[in-house]
Amino acid sequence: MPRVAAVTAVLQWVNGHPTLTGRGRPLDRGAFRELPRSPAPGCYLVLYRLDGADALTAEEPADEARIGGLVCGPDDEATERAATAYANAVAALTGTPTAMGDVATCLVTDDIVGPQLVDNRAGTRGEHAYQVDATFFLVPLIPGV
């Protein structure tokens, strides 16, 4: 099974999600691959791939991608709410194939862990953080098919 650019796929999905990102939404600053340098207010999500494996699902072979997510924000309550919103959106991917931007289709998610508080009080950025990890079963999109 070919691997999928899983972080890119989930980033596109999160940043295009109608209830997660944008002004007035839980992740108002969006999702990134690394900590943003700008100290703008609001919550954001940093995504990274933990591991991957081949998965044989009922539909077709898939890339079983374990994606870690770190939700950061200016205060504990807003950050916890943003992490919970992200975890619930991921949990809603329950078997109805969902486009993940122009990269992949998510067949289902599984093994969601979190939100879990990350003790970041000693950090220099002064932000609060919660971890949410999940396994995404992804199949690549094939242009023109």
Side-chain angles (χ1 to χ4, degrees), residues 80-100:
E80 181 186 31
R81 287 177 186 262
T84 301
Y86 170 66
N88 287 335
V90 170
L93 299 169
T94 58
T96 301
T98 302
M100 306 295 265

Side-chain angles (χ1 to χ4, degrees), residues 24-137:
R25 305 276 194 261
L27 292 169
D28 48 354
R29 290 182 61 194
F32 302 89
R33 288 182 173 275
E34 55 190 47
L35 293 172
R37 295 177 191 216
S38 166
C43 294
Y44 61 91
L45 172 65
V46 177
L47 293 170
Y48 48 94
R49 187 171 182 146
L50 296 167
D51 64 19
D54 291 338
L56 185 59
T57 64
E59 293 84 2
E60 57 190 298
D63 183 359
E64 184 179 337
R66 185 79 180 155
I67 303 293
L70 183 66
V71 178
C72 300
D75 64 72
D76 187 63
E77 184 177 349
T79 308
E80 181 186 31
R81 287 177 186 262
T84 301
Y86 170 66
N88 287 335
V90 170
L93 299 169
T94 58
T96 301
T98 302
M100 306 295 265
D102 62 0
V103 178
T105 298
C106 180
L107 301 177
V108 69
T109 57
D110 192 22
D111 196 23
I112 301 165
V113 177
Q116 178 178 330
L117 177 67
V118 175
D119 187 356
N120 198 29
R121 291 175 289 186
T124 59
R125 294 174 64 105
E127 292 182 313
H128 297 263
Y130 281 82
Q131 183 77 26
V132 177
D133 299 339
T135 300
F136 291 78
F137 291 83

